[in-house]
Amino acid sequence: MTKANWNYPTAIKFGPGRIAELPEALKAAGISKPLLVTDAGLVNLPVTQNAIALLRNAGIPVGVFAEVKPNPISANVEAGIKVLREGGHDGVIAFGGGSGLDVGKVIAFMAGQTRPMWDFEDIGDWWTRADPKGIFPIIAVPTTAGTGSEVGRAGVITDETTHTKKVIFHPLMMPKVVIIDPELTVGMPKFITVGTGMDALAHCLEAYCAPGYHPLADGIAVEGMRLVFENLPKVYANPNDVEARGHMMSAAAMGATAFQKGLGAIHALSHPVGALYDTHHGMTNAVFMPYVLAVNKAAIEARIARLAAYLGLSPSFEAFQHAVLALRARLDVPHTLADFNVDGSKRELIGDMAIVDPTAGGNPIELTKARALEIFDRAMEGRI
């Protein structure tokens, strides 16, 4: 597979074997004593241990922090900040899937701040409260192909006191260098491969459907979706297909680049369900996707017909909806929330949380509580 260097939206080293350039990337970012942040499930796997060995063999003293939950909470960040400060680290390697990447970035952001983390939630200009001199440099190394957090300027952390997912944002949270090495994703379990891949599709789809004029984001999003439709079934069937893994990693980065335009009801509902039921974020997006499409149809029908044509389908909303359902079925995505062990006991709370989620405003039609509950009910019942 081709190797490539991109400088959009940050410096990206793409291609098999590029992990070998991690010591060089640290030097370029001015990091001499990094803290590698990853999650508990990944830290002892060969993909992580090999990266740590690579650094130590290069004479780089690296610390490791892995107290990170799949849906990270503020306590994970606070513990990581303590390790960073006590270890005298001068930068962070955010390593792993969305949880490791997000927590690593927020730890680096909070390293030199004096205010509490929630003071920097992505509301208005709250990010200007931060001291930019207290933000440590970040190198990002994704090991999944989904969240795209490696090219993002924010981290999603759950406030465990309210069970609410909150976005911590600052422009300087963008990693200095990203290493996208598809060989690092070969060992992903099928459930994670599918969940993260459908997360990338959700990012591209919601960015494309979000209202407003942003042809740059739209162009990236449609090509990202093509890459997912063509390559996610390939990696599901053959986990060792490095070329298809690479295309999926590109799609993940493209989704996160595109969604600066906006997200929508898929994420607005997925966030509270994930926070309340501890479900996998990307797989929750995959469950909600066709139901949100159906409810949004009137506002997006012409746009989706254009997308369908680009994907080589009949140029209609129905053709795209069918393609989404067929992809979910092929990948064993649960068809309903009930199949995903989500019950209806927190229905009202989920409706209340969805309409105030930061992503709700990007839905192509207003996400009222009635509309959020309609989508939730459809997803519980399997009613497209």
Side-chain angles (χ1 to χ4, degrees):
M1 187 177 194
T2 305
K3 293 183 179 181
N5 295 322
W6 305 322
N7 282 293
Y8 183 74
T10 189
I12 297 174
K13 313 290 185 188
F14 174 88
R18 299 303 292 270
I19 190 65
E21 298 172 40
L22 183 55
E24 180 186 311
L26 289 167
K27 186 176 180 182
I31 301 171
S32 59
K33 192 179 182 184
L35 178 67
L36 186 145
V37 177
T38 191
D39 64 74
L42 197 62
V43 67
N44 292 317
L45 296 182
V47 64
T48 312
Q49 290 301 314
N50 290 344
I52 293 167
L54 170 73
L55 295 175
R56 289 182 174 153
N57 290 339
I60 297 169
V62 57
V64 178
F65 175 76
E67 293 171 35
V68 176
K69 292 182 64 175
N71 284 303
I73 58 176
S74 56
N76 299 152
V77 176
E78 288 156 12
I81 295 167
K82 187 169 184 285
V83 171
L84 179 95
R85 290 173 176 167
E86 290 179 355
H89 299 286
D90 59 357
V92 167
I93 301 168
F95 190 99
S99 53
L101 294 170
D102 279 8
V103 172
K105 286 160 54 183
V106 178
I107 288 170
F109 166 69
M110 288 297 298
Q113 306 306 321
T114 55
R115 299 177 68 142
M117 178 173 64
W118 302 131
D119 280 5
F120 307 111
E121 191 179 351
D122 189 14
I123 297 172
D125 65 353
W126 284 17
W127 65 270
T128 60
R129 298 169 169 178
D131 177 3
K133 296 188 184 71
I135 302 171
F136 284 19
I138 304 158
I139 303 293
V141 183
T143 62
T144 66
T147 70
S149 181
E150 65 273 10
V151 293
R153 300 169 296 171
V156 179
I157 308 294
T158 298
D159 181 347
E160 57 267 56
T161 61
T162 60
H163 297 287
T164 306
K165 287 194 174 188
K166 294 182 177 179
V167 178
I168 308 301
F169 167 85
H170 195 282
L172 294 180
M173 282 173 66
M174 176 69 79
K176 303 293 186 192
V177 181
V178 178
I179 294 176
I180 296 181
D181 184 338
E183 291 178 347
L184 303 183
T185 69
V186 166
M188 260 198 296
K190 278 197 169 183
F191 179 86
I192 302 298
T193 293
V194 172
T196 54
M198 292 300 288
D199 193 25
L201 180 61
H203 290 160
C204 291
L205 176 61
E206 291 210 289
Y208 179 68
C209 293
Y213 180 69
H214 200 325
L216 288 82
D218 291 345
I220 292 167
V222 295
E223 177 63 2
M225 284 185 270
R226 183 187 72 81
L227 290 173
V228 174
F229 273 102
E230 291 187 5
N231 292 283
L232 187 50
K234 290 181 183 177
V235 295
Y236 184 72
N238 176 15
N240 297 313
D241 187 337
V242 172
E243 184 173 355
R245 291 279 190 192
H247 290 314
M248 284 304 302
M249 294 190 89
S250 294
M254 292 164 79
T257 303
F259 75 54
Q260 61 181 268
K261 182 188 173 199
L263 290 169
I266 294 174
H267 278 78
L269 281 153
S270 177
H271 284 156
V273 168
L276 293 167
Y277 289 91
D278 209 23
T279 57
H280 184 274
H281 170 68
M283 196 64 87
T284 314
N285 284 343
V287 174
F288 273 118
M289 190 176 292
Y291 309 107
V292 171
L293 275 170
V295 169
N296 285 342
K297 179 180 177 181
I300 61 175
E301 189 166 6
R303 174 167 283 264
I304 292 295
R306 287 200 306 274
L307 170 63
Y310 182 77
L311 296 175
L313 306 169
S314 172
S316 68
F317 176 91
E318 289 72 21
F320 181 76
Q321 176 78 295
H322 176 76
V324 168
L325 290 167
L327 181 67
R328 286 161 89 248
R330 188 172 176 183
L331 302 174
D332 292 323
V333 171
H335 184 58
T336 69
L337 288 172
D339 296 335
F340 202 35
N341 297 321
V342 173
D343 59 34
S345 65
K346 297 174 182 174
R347 175 181 180 272
E348 289 294 319
L349 177 58
I350 288 166
D352 289 334
M353 293 170 73
I355 60 173
V356 297
D357 190 87
T359 63
N363 203 57
I365 53 176
E366 185 186 357
L367 189 64
T368 61
K369 183 175 179 182
R371 198 162 272 142
L373 290 177
E374 179 190 353
I375 296 166
F376 181 82
D377 291 344
R378 285 175 178 244
M380 283 296 297
E381 301 161 15
R383 178 167 46 89
I384 302 294

